[in-house]
Amino acid sequence: MPQPSPTIAAIATATGQGGVGVIRLSGKQLLPLAQQISGGRTPQPRRALLTDFVGAEGEPIDNGLLLYFPAPASFTGEDVIELHGHGGRVVLQMLLQRCFELGAQPAEPGEFTKRAFLNGKLDLAQAESVADLIDAASQSAARLAVRSLKGAFSQQIHALVDELITLRMLVEATLDFPEEDIDFLAEAKADERLVALQSRLAQVLAQAEQGAILREGMNVVLVGAPNVGKSSLLNALAGDDIAIVTDIAGTTRDTVREQITLEGVPVHIIDTAGLRDTTDPVEQIGIERSRQAVQQADVALILIDPAEGLNEATCNILAQLPPALKRIEIRNKIDLSGEAAESCEQSGQPSGADTLIKLSAKSGAGLDLLKQALLRQIGWQGESESLFLARSRHLQALEAAQAELGLAALCGRHQLELFAEHLRLAQNACNTITGEFNADDLLGVIFSRFCIGK
Ligand code: GDP
Ligand code: ZN
């Protein structure tokens, strides 16, 4: 049942100026508010009403469209009103103020989506995908977020949970009716079901892990002496001029961090040459953030000038990087040396890199080799329809479910009580993804779906 909640209002469109600005309200019984704000007119459900939005004295604040969605056929499941006015900062604030006068309260961040979840309009995974869609940093991420919003991820979880419930039902029946001669578990091929369930879960987890790569992206650091071509490489990877390339060694105008996308995967690149000491407080904040990101880097691209080798500054930076960090050594400017672009394995290098890529940031030769190497390092297998834009919370839940299934398999039918308990815990873990913590009316399930025959 929907819980009592005050009327909330917020500007739903981006801040700033725009042709149209929308204020959204959600609450109980919003028809009187709709009538008051439109100067006494009565909107028809889900029909646009062109009207003045009026103040306390009946004075027009703006003129626009009022949309009225009576509960439960609305985004939040409550009465929802949308006021489509002109997209000016001041006029929208005046209109919002009027909504507050009429009893609405400012909405908390995400409160509309939260109400949609509480009223059963969306499950938790879908609610999260609303935020993911808005935040999507690439077209691939946006496509996956929409799929989750429409329930593709939740369906997979439900399928797992249904199968878990069936298994639990079999086990509970065997526990509850020990005197029966029928071996429910053997008859229903419980062992095979468990194996099938494990492989299905492994598949969902793999799809979620791939999706998580797309969601989180990877952190790459560029390391190397001045003038080896770090900024040029960043530009070449990005495909347009985002960093500033100059001929002056150690230019202070380098970009510290940039985000590009490779095959839809967001790649956050930090040029460690930009991590210099500065007295500019704003720049200091950015640099501090970058220093932290360096600690979380997935891959380091180490650019070495063959004539110079690893200089002291480069060694110092390498020493600060996490030991487990993947390292790729880059030999840039092959257009000058006349070497061919290639990617080769190497071992025992001072840089610690096991891959060497020869390329030219200027001509673009070898760039594809580098992109492939980067994507390979984080295990990206390419976008496909079956990925889920998973959050780490989802991965943790799926991993927990996997661990419980593994324990259940160990217990087997010789320790039925433990077997049942691990299945229950696996189901709980899956349920946290969609936010259903209470779908546990097992007895009801047993008697509705499983015919005992007595
Ligand atoms: P950074 O200091 O490491 O960021 O180096 P930059 O990207 O600023 O490059 C330094 C100089 O090397 C610039 O004049 C670039 O145009 C030049 N450069 C960078 N990459 C290449 C390359 O692949 N080939 C050639 N010929 N010049 C390059
Ligand atoms: Zn640079």
Side-chain angles (χ1 to χ4, degrees):
M1 277 305 284
Q3 314 179 350
S5 52
T7 298
I8 48 170
I11 299 171
T13 39
T15 47
Q17 292 174 326
V20 177
V22 176
I23 287 176
R24 179 147 71 173
L25 297 109
S26 179
K28 302 254 182 302
Q29 315 283 351
L30 291 191
L31 190 58
L33 190 149
Q35 290 167 329
Q36 276 170 296
I37 207 148
S38 60
R41 303 179 60 184
T42 298
Q44 296 304 304
R46 295 175 300 280
R47 297 282 293 270
L49 174 70
L50 177 61
T51 178
D52 281 348
F53 303 133
V54 301
E57 310 293 327
E59 76 285 6
I61 299 170
D62 194 2
N63 179 273
L65 297 177
L66 187 153
L67 289 166
Y68 167 54
F69 304 92
S74 72
F75 175 66
T76 59
E78 303 177 322
D79 280 3
V80 167
I81 292 175
E82 285 182 12
L83 306 174
H84 295 231
H86 292 93
R89 235 182 247 271
V90 173
V91 67
L92 277 174
Q93 279 302 334
M94 288 165 66
L95 196 51
L96 185 61
Q97 210 51 51
R98 179 67 185 135
C99 294
F100 294 155
E101 280 170 29
L102 292 172
Q105 296 181 6
E108 307 272 332
E111 201 173 356
F112 290 94
T113 312
K114 185 174 158 198
R115 289 189 179 191
F117 167 62
L118 290 175
N119 291 326
K121 286 286 172 173
L122 298 170
D123 68 33
L124 210 49
Q126 287 175 307
E128 287 168 318
S129 65
V130 172
D132 286 342
L133 180 57
I134 293 170
D135 290 345
S138 71
Q139 294 188 10
S140 311
R143 275 194 290 271
L144 291 193
V146 167
R147 276 171 36 80
S148 288
L149 178 58
K150 291 170 71 70
F153 186 38
S154 306
Q155 274 163 25
Q156 292 286 333
I157 302 304
H158 285 145
L160 286 171
V161 168
D162 284 349
E163 189 53 34
L164 271 165
I165 290 175
T166 305
L167 250 183
R168 290 185 61 195
M169 203 167 78
L170 292 165
V171 178
E172 304 279 338
T174 311
L175 282 171
D176 288 351
F177 302 92
E179 75 281 5
E180 298 287 320
D181 319 322
I182 315 162
D183 184 343
F184 292 115
L185 290 176
E187 215 155 77
K189 299 198 168 74
D191 298 342
E192 287 167 42
R193 279 175 178 274
L194 180 58
V195 171
L197 185 57
Q198 281 178 301
S199 82
R200 179 161 199 166
L201 179 62
Q203 197 187 351
V204 173
L205 182 57
Q207 291 163 339
E209 278 169 345
Q210 286 291 301
I213 292 176
L214 200 60
R215 179 164 196 283
E216 312 285 335
M218 70 171 134
N219 288 319
V220 174
V221 290
L222 284 169
V223 184
N227 262 339
V228 282
K230 296 181 296 300
S231 305
S232 306
L233 184 60
L234 178 49
N235 289 347
L237 284 171
D240 59 55
D241 275 357
I242 44 174
I244 301 157
V245 187
T246 66
D247 279 331
I248 309 153
T251 170
T252 54
R253 297 166 66 220
D254 273 327
T255 326
V256 185
R257 48 194 296 157
E258 269 308 337
Q259 183 177 312
I260 65 171
T261 47
L262 293 181
E263 289 186 17
V265 177
V267 181
H268 316 275
I269 304 186
I270 290 166
D271 185 349
T272 56
L275 298 180
R276 62 198 168 270
D277 293 324
T278 170
T279 49
D280 177 353
V282 177
E283 207 180 345
Q284 268 172 349
I285 294 170
I287 286 176
E288 197 36 54
R289 271 176 49 206
S290 293
R291 275 193 218 281
Q292 286 163 7
V294 163
Q295 294 309 313
Q296 286 150 21
D298 301 297
V299 187
L301 298 182
I302 305 159
L303 282 81
I304 297 177
D305 182 343
E308 212 185 316
L310 271 180
N311 69 6
E312 203 189 322
T314 306
C315 286
N316 278 341
I317 291 170
L318 286 177
Q320 291 171 38
L321 297 175
L325 182 73
K326 314 247 174 61
R327 294 154 193 241
I328 298 175
E329 191 172 317
I330 308 275
R331 194 160 310 152
N332 187 27
K333 309 194 190 184
I334 56 168
D335 57 311
L336 295 179
S337 66
E339 288 170 281
E342 65 170 326
S343 169
C344 46
E345 312 275 299
Q346 61 177 16
S347 62
Q349 296 300 305
S351 64
D354 53 14
T355 307
L356 169 70
I357 294 176
K358 297 180 183 173
L359 54 75
S360 166
K362 192 169 190 173
S363 76
L367 272 182
D368 274 345
L369 296 174
L370 174 57
K371 289 180 187 174
Q372 284 160 23
L374 278 173
L375 292 170
R376 209 172 38 237
Q377 295 281 9
I378 54 160
W380 176 242
Q381 291 159 5
E383 189 188 344
S384 88
E385 275 288 283
S386 57
L387 304 189
F388 307 114
L389 203 61
R391 301 177 168 223
S392 49
R393 170 182 100 72
H394 303 149
L395 294 183
Q396 279 163 12
L398 289 169
E399 281 160 6
Q402 195 171 45
E404 293 299 341
L405 287 188
L407 292 171
L410 282 181
C411 295
R413 67 179 65 180
H414 309 295
Q415 290 164 283
L416 268 190
E417 251 125 35
L418 278 176
F419 187 70
E421 178 62 5
H422 289 304
L423 292 179
R424 188 182 70 80
L425 292 172
Q427 187 190 342
N428 280 359
C430 289
N431 280 342
T432 61
I433 294 177
T434 46
E436 297 154 56
F437 306 97
N438 46 10
D440 200 28
D441 190 5
L442 250 165
L443 270 189
V445 176
I446 289 179
F447 290 116
S448 67
R449 296 211 312 206
F450 196 92
C451 182
I452 300 295
K454 279 201 178 168

